Amino acid sequence: MWRSWLLKGTTCLLQVAAPRLLHQRHVSSLSVRLVTHRLLHRTPCALHLRVNAQSWSRAFKKDAKSTVEFPTSPITVTDIKQYLRSKEIPFHDGYSCLHIPSIFVDPSTRRDSFSLFVDKTTGQFLCKDTQVEGSWEDLQDCLEVMQSGEQDSLSPHVLLGYPESLEEQEERERELREVQRIWSSSAPFADLPEDEVQLIKAMFQITKISNVTLKKFGVRLFKPTRSLVFPWFGGPDSSLKGVKLLSAQSTDAGRVIYNEATVPKSNSYHNLFGLHLVGRMDSEVVLTGHELDALAVSQAAGLPSVALPRGVSCLPPILLPYLEQFKRVTLWLGGDVLSWEASKIFSRKLAAHKSIVSFKQLREDVYGELINTDQVAGVKWTRFLELNRILKGHRKGELTVFTGPTGSGKTTFISEYALDLCMQGVNTLWGSFEINNVRLAKIMLTQFAMQRLEENLEQYDFWADKFEELPLYFMTFHGQQNIKAVLDTMQHAVYMYDINHIVIDNLQFMMGQENLSVDKFAVQDHIIGAFRKFATNSSCHVTLIIHPRKEEDGRELQMASIFGSAKASQEADNVVILQEKKLVTAPGRRSLQVTKNRFDGDVGIFPLDFIKSSLTFSSPVKGKLKLKKVPPKAGNEEEEEEVEAVAAAGKKAEVKKERATKTTKTTKTPQNTKTPAAGGESTKKSQ
Ligand SMILES: Nc1ncnc2c1ncn2[C@@H]1O[C@H](COP(=O)(O)OP(=O)(O)OP(=O)(O)O)[C@@H](O)[C@H]1O
């Protein structure tokens, strides 16, 4: 029964998959709507984690965390090929990488002659034999050094130009010890009594997964927290590099909540779970969003299967070399719209042609949209319910133009608006040209913690640790910028981090570099048009803040206050205005007006009250709070429950405080309130 479902799903998908283009890999999305849910009777938890370019395993250079630099010399595959030819380096043209002989392995001991992979989009390289990785510039330097010294190979340590700081080294060693500690205190399923095995399987809704499959993938049980432990074996010696812990908890409402935690931390957890089981000659693989799905596929279909480290949220390019050997990659990510969209984005990265589609491909997408109308409407805000009522949600590929009077709080509002989405897993990139990233991050952190951290400095690390987990990146630009440089950076970030939302604050900072002999509004129209095109082509939402071109005292802003021509207003999918009515009785009172909504045409306006202490515009959440749980740490289940309870109490106190500040300024929020992500963020639920 089980197997027949799987095969049915496979066949169905293969019928709708794109006709194979010459030299192209077959990338298909399995119709999980038909399969996975029934297969395991469970829906894996959503992953809301961040990946950045840091690699735990790399022995050298680390990127500045969460900042996206302008790629100094955007590279093309033609440039890379030309360079390699000029150096007489042979290469194979792969799907997403060029393969060259590794220069870090002595030619006489090379196991695989083409084990160094150069990413066709970024030029970044990875040697699979030695794990050495670096930028295109690094590779060129290495090749120059090698050829000028007439050497056959280089030491893998040649790139140790950026030694780890003592702190980094200590952190890495601490993590390694933690990995070993968890692993050695975890039990293989074969060593557990059968009744306990059954209980655990029921908890994770994997009763059909056999002990043999669990053993094959090395899955163990960490008894103190009853978490499943998924190992990360990597490197040339397939050694243990990290672990992922998955725990399941039942709620009073009878739902199951899955939490996961990784060591090392999520931003350097680059594991394709199950990769160590893939043979060198395998030419087909199923790529799943969750470890348990990889087990199910392997058991039911007997196909090599690997799981992404962070589910559908991203496919880090650093993993692409490991997928190069496969002629067919089947994406099995989930049946919801988010997963469908991720499948499309990932398949582009894996080689599907960007500009050719047939209705055969579209047909499944159209069907998906028809049966998932709510998800098609986009990610809902948890702090701005009125915005959901009007705009229905935040959708990929759209352009939102946002304006408001000078100094009215545009940046402050959009910061909270974007933070809300980011807290729900929308990978977000900020281009803040007016205020620097430290100030912006401070505003966001205050909004995240919903309190003045200046007065609660002892809580700083707690909130900063949680904040660091958000999939949030910042461009490092400041002041006037050239639009092309900004667009190149955006493109790079979408490729590297699967960015879904880009905020540009604000358009005026791109105007200065353009040709001023041309009409100013023509320039503005041109820039809006460029962002529009980017949003559509990259399936990424762009929120563009624009200063109004004219403000008249006492008069509300309208669409015509922003745009130079009707053409520009046509480009935007949504137009949102922060209206400011200066009332003596309520000086902070603003209204948010939606004057254009291409999705379903609904427009409207609603009031916003500003809470100065937390820099938030969202209305305090009424009733019982739903709070996100802290990812489990070994042995702290009790503490976790306590944290939740304290969090709820802390939040109530905060709301009370806001009311109380009107009469007195002496009330303080409780000290040492270990509040996890608050602000009405809903608990991750299994569906
Ligand atoms: N509703 C409000 N009431 C009072 N102060 C506010 C309100 N919203 C924001 N502020 C404060 O006003 C200042 C300016 O806010 P912000 O920088 O967000 O405005 P802006 O519209 O982006 O400004 P600009 O027009 O210069 O780009 C900040 O100190 C912010 O904390």
Side-chain angles (χ1 to χ4, degrees), residues 575-625:
V575 178
V576 182
I577 306 177
L578 187 66
Q579 299 284 11
E580 181 182 31
K581 238 190 196 160
K582 292 198 176 83
L583 298 175
V584 185
T585 44
R589 174 62 70 86
R590 305 274 186 272
S591 303
L592 197 72
Q593 184 174 17
V594 176
T595 57
K596 179 175 179 190
N597 164 9
R598 179 170 279 147
F599 181 67
D600 71 356
D602 282 356
V603 292
I605 184 164
F606 59 92
L608 290 173
D609 277 317
F610 183 62
I611 302 174
K612 202 164 171 45
S613 59
S614 56
L615 301 178
T616 52
F617 285 90
S618 46
S619 26
V621 182
K622 294 192 185 91
K624 193 173 182 289
L625 270 166

Side-chain angles (χ1 to χ4, degrees), residues 238-505:
S238 288
S239 57
L240 183 70
K241 292 201 168 297
V243 286
K244 183 186 272 189
L245 292 164
L246 180 72
S247 62
Q249 281 158 338
S250 300
T251 64
D252 295 344
R255 294 176 190 278
V256 180
I257 302 170
Y258 296 99
N259 287 311
E260 58 178 52
T262 61
V263 189
K265 277 198 202 151
S266 60
N267 57 2
S268 31
Y269 194 79
H270 292 305
N271 178 29
L272 275 176
F273 171 72
L275 192 68
H276 65 290
L277 299 175
V278 171
R280 289 174 90 84
M281 303 309 285
D282 284 333
S283 60
E284 188 172 345
V285 74
V286 179
L287 187 62
T288 72
H290 300 279
E291 287 75 9
L292 293 178
D293 288 343
L295 300 183
V297 172
S298 164
Q299 182 177 318
L303 289 170
S305 47
V306 295
L308 285 164
R310 253 161 294 297
V312 301
S313 71
C314 58
L315 169 55
I318 195 71
L319 295 176
L320 294 176
Y322 298 101
L323 298 169
E324 280 287 290
Q325 78 179 71
F326 305 109
K327 287 201 173 62
R328 178 194 293 265
V329 178
T330 301
L331 301 177
W332 178 322
L333 301 179
D336 55 325
V337 170
L338 205 70
S339 307
W340 276 102
E341 281 172 351
S343 303
K344 280 185 269 176
I345 293 169
F346 295 172
S347 62
R348 272 195 216 169
K349 270 191 189 174
L350 289 165
H353 200 288
K354 286 179 199 163
S355 1
I356 303 173
V357 282
S358 68
F359 182 68
K360 273 192 175 181
Q361 283 165 285
L362 298 179
R363 148 183 198 148
E364 276 297 289
D365 291 348
V366 171
Y367 184 67
E369 297 222 343
L370 291 174
I371 59 164
N372 294 301
T373 42
D374 195 46
Q375 290 177 24
V376 170
V379 179
K380 309 281 183 279
W381 286 271
T382 59
R383 299 190 180 196
F384 303 104
L385 304 184
E386 287 290 302
L387 209 49
N388 294 334
R389 194 176 55 76
I390 304 172
L391 283 176
K392 310 299 174 298
H394 174 89
R395 293 166 289 274
K396 286 186 182 165
E398 291 194 350
L399 173 68
T400 295
V401 166
F402 181 71
T403 195
T406 308
S408 59
K410 292 185 292 298
T411 303
T412 315
F413 173 78
I414 286 294
S415 162
E416 188 182 9
Y417 159 107
L419 174 69
D420 185 343
L421 298 167
C422 186
M423 285 165 71
Q424 298 176 71
V426 174
N427 299 345
T428 304
L429 172 68
W430 259 90
S432 172
F433 304 99
E434 194 169 63
I435 67 168
N436 70 39
N437 288 333
V438 175
R439 236 185 94 195
L440 175 64
K442 188 175 141 201
I443 295 172
M444 289 187 119
L445 186 62
T446 307
Q447 295 173 331
F448 182 67
M450 288 190 137
Q451 58 178 309
R452 274 177 68 82
L453 286 172
E454 288 93 331
E455 289 167 8
N456 298 300
L457 278 178
E458 75 290 348
Q459 292 185 28
Y460 179 80
D461 280 339
F462 172 78
W463 287 108
D465 282 351
K466 295 268 148 222
F467 193 73
E468 224 183 282
E469 288 290 307
L470 295 176
L472 179 63
Y473 303 85
F474 301 93
M475 290 187 209
T476 52
F477 291 125
H478 195 61
Q480 284 294 337
Q481 296 304 326
N482 161 314
I483 176 79
K484 183 169 181 313
V486 175
L487 286 168
D488 281 346
T489 307
M490 288 162 58
Q491 196 65 59
H492 176 72
V494 165
Y495 181 76
M496 293 297 291
Y497 312 117
D498 296 300
I499 297 291
N500 314 122
H501 184 201
I502 299 179
V503 181
I504 299 291
D505 185 11

Side-chain angles (χ1 to χ4, degrees), residues 53 64 67 132 210 222 275 308 396 398 418 510 540 542 566 588-589 597:
T67 56
V132 176
S210 70
F222 184 66
L275 192 68
L308 285 164
K396 286 186 182 165
E398 291 194 350
M510 263 137 276
C540 176
V542 176
R589 174 62 70 86
N597 164 9

